[in-house]
Amino acid sequence: MRSSPSIAPGADRDIYLVLDDYGQRLGRAWPETDEEDTDRDTLLRHLMEGQYRNPIRIVSFNTSEGWSQDASEEIAAELRQRCAERGEVPPTLEEFLARHGHRVDVQLSLL
């Protein structure tokens, strides 16, 4: 019996994906992402660059270790730090940061 190749990434590393909201007409989707762009640092850079329209949730998983989790809160904390260092919040992140923690303006003033 032939087996089908796995659709799960084979790399033994953490993978990060974003659920993005494209508006009422198009709805929410997990956009296609190049395999090399699924690491934490690249995800954070893409979020800061505004490459997602309206991120809703971020999940991370590692198929080799057999786990998955909602990483929205931890990514939001890292983004708040980066925004504080930069002195501005990209407009595409305002709702995400508000949804996953304290209000952005309050958080930035505390850092």
Side-chain angles (χ1 to χ4, degrees), residues 97-111:
L97 294 176
R99 187 179 303 110
H100 297 285
H102 302 290
R103 288 178 40 118
V104 176
D105 54 347
V106 173
Q107 185 68 26
L108 285 176
S109 66
L110 294 174
L111 293 176

Side-chain angles (χ1 to χ4, degrees), residues 79-100:
L79 289 169
R80 279 188 205 94
Q81 180 65 37
R82 290 181 182 214
C83 290
E85 291 169 2
R86 182 188 273 189
E88 67 177 331
V89 177
T92 56
L93 292 180
E94 290 174 355
E95 287 184 40
F96 178 78
L97 294 176
R99 187 179 303 110
H100 297 285

Side-chain angles (χ1 to χ4, degrees), residues 16-20 31 37 39-59 71-72 74-80 82-83 86 88-94 96-97 99-100:
Y16 290 82
L17 297 176
V18 176
L19 177 62
D20 208 1
D37 293 340
D39 64 282
R40 183 184 179 99
D41 289 335
T42 303
L43 168 83
L44 289 163
R45 187 178 77 247
H46 285 176
L47 287 163
M48 290 295 294
E49 291 171 350
Q51 291 194 24
Y52 295 96
R53 184 180 187 279
N54 182 15
I56 300 298
R57 170 170 290 136
I58 297 168
V59 297
S72 302
E74 71 179 70
I75 295 299
E78 176 69 24
L79 289 169
R80 279 188 205 94
R82 290 181 182 214
C83 290
R86 182 188 273 189
E88 67 177 331
V89 177
T92 56
L93 292 180
E94 290 174 355
F96 178 78
L97 294 176
R99 187 179 303 110
H100 297 285

